[in-house]
Amino acid sequence: MTIANFCFLLLLLPLPFSLSACPLSFETMNYTIITSRCKGPKYPPNLCCQAFKDFACPYADELNDLSNQCSTQMFSYINLYGSYPPGIFSNLCHDNKAGLVCDAVPPQDSTSNIISDHFSLLLILVSQLFLIMFLP
């Protein structure tokens, strides 16, 4: 394949998609569940991670949806109201190697894909955060 053919094929690729608006109103939510329990300078993992889960797990479906801006908005407001160091929750909070487990989330259909069963809230949130940080 020549360089010209390769460049032409690149033109046929779809442009990066834009994320849809978040159906939740994170700007109006009460973040004291996190900010009252997760305090520096030591940021105790047991308190911070439980506070984060208590806040985020009810919205796990929306936050795990990579096609919307929910996780980006949520982390923006958490950082706005809590002034937390970058990546604090992704560095502190791990229930298993995949990330956080939200027990309050209703169980999925047993016929669902095994990979989606292990998709964790934290993994998706961190992925979206990195996408936002490194995309132009």
Side-chain angles (χ1 to χ4, degrees):
M1 175 179 296
T2 66
I3 293 176
N5 289 344
F6 181 72
C7 291
F8 176 74
L9 289 175
L10 287 177
L11 292 174
L12 297 177
L13 293 174
L15 295 174
F17 67 93
S18 61
L19 300 175
S20 63
C22 180
L24 303 172
S25 298
F26 280 105
E27 62 273 7
T28 61
M29 292 187 183
N30 184 354
Y31 291 88
T32 57
I33 193 168
I34 297 174
T35 58
S36 66
R37 297 190 286 181
C38 184
K39 297 182 179 191
K42 295 194 178 195
Y43 303 105
N46 59 330
L47 296 176
C48 291
C49 296
Q50 190 57 52
F52 179 76
K53 286 172 66 170
D54 290 346
F55 180 82
C57 282
Y59 314 110
D61 289 340
E62 291 84 2
L63 293 169
N64 283 333
D65 184 352
L66 292 176
S67 69
N68 69 38
Q69 300 173 353
C70 288
S71 66
T72 303
Q73 288 179 2
M74 182 192 71
F75 276 116
S76 294
Y77 285 105
I78 287 173
N79 288 329
L80 176 68
Y81 295 119
S83 300
Y84 294 108
I88 184 170
F89 297 104
S90 62
N91 290 326
L92 287 179
C93 307
H94 303 95
D95 285 337
N96 60 36
K97 68 179 183 176
L100 291 176
V101 175
C102 290
D103 297 328
V105 176
Q108 295 181 354
D109 185 321
S110 61
T111 60
S112 65
N113 188 333
I114 191 71
I115 294 174
S116 67
D117 288 341
H118 291 94
F119 232 55
S120 71
L121 172 65
L122 185 61
L123 182 61
I124 298 304
L125 296 177
V126 171
S127 298
Q128 280 194 341
L129 185 60
F130 281 122
L131 282 174
I132 298 306
M133 289 173 49
F134 295 111
L135 286 179

